[in-house]
Amino acid sequence: MVATRLTRKDDSPHSRSCTVAICSPKCYNAHVTQTIAQRELRNDNARVIDAVAAGETFVVTRNGVPVAELRPIPPPRRKFVARADLVALGAAGPHVDLGQFTADLDRIVDQRL
């Protein structure tokens, strides 16, 4: 992760130097994050959004200070599994003999409970 040292120029209580990350954590993407100025985002909005849709990540700066990160939204997870997918998974799995399985359960589990 790339970091930069920033110092605030005002006299507020928070006017101390701090380290700010300017790259996404590796879990978000494997590409190098591009840094763009707020003005460039405003002027080239369509190009930047197209690049984000293609998988790129941008850190937006204002006066050289990182203020936002633009990155693609991961695709949503499926809520349901299609019947054909379940059938394919079942066919690829091991064969279980129902009679032998029941006999094994009867032998192991105390049926008096």
Side-chain angles (χ1 to χ4, degrees), residues 45-67:
N45 188 334
R47 181 189 63 80
V48 172
I49 295 300
D50 288 342
V52 170
E56 294 184 42
T57 300
F58 293 87
V59 171
V60 181
T61 62
R62 180 187 299 153
N63 298 324
V65 178
V67 293

Side-chain angles (χ1 to χ4, degrees), residues 32-100:
V32 176
T33 302
Q34 297 182 39
T35 302
I36 60 171
Q38 178 183 5
R39 178 180 297 151
E40 184 180 349
L41 175 62
R42 183 189 68 221
N43 293 341
D44 296 330
N45 188 334
R47 181 189 63 80
V48 172
I49 295 300
D50 288 342
V52 170
E56 294 184 42
T57 300
F58 293 87
V59 171
V60 181
T61 62
R62 180 187 299 153
N63 298 324
V65 178
V67 293
E69 180 179 50
L70 294 174
R71 60 183 168 87
I73 297 175
R77 294 179 61 189
R78 292 191 319 186
K79 294 182 181 178
F80 299 100
V81 179
R83 180 176 294 183
D85 292 343
L86 287 176
V87 170
L89 288 171
H95 174 71
V96 177
D97 180 23
L98 182 59
Q100 184 63 42

Side-chain angles (χ1 to χ4, degrees), residues 91-109:
H95 174 71
V96 177
D97 180 23
L98 182 59
Q100 184 63 42
F101 181 71
T102 305
D104 289 344
L105 282 179
D106 288 341
R107 188 177 67 248
I108 294 171
V109 178

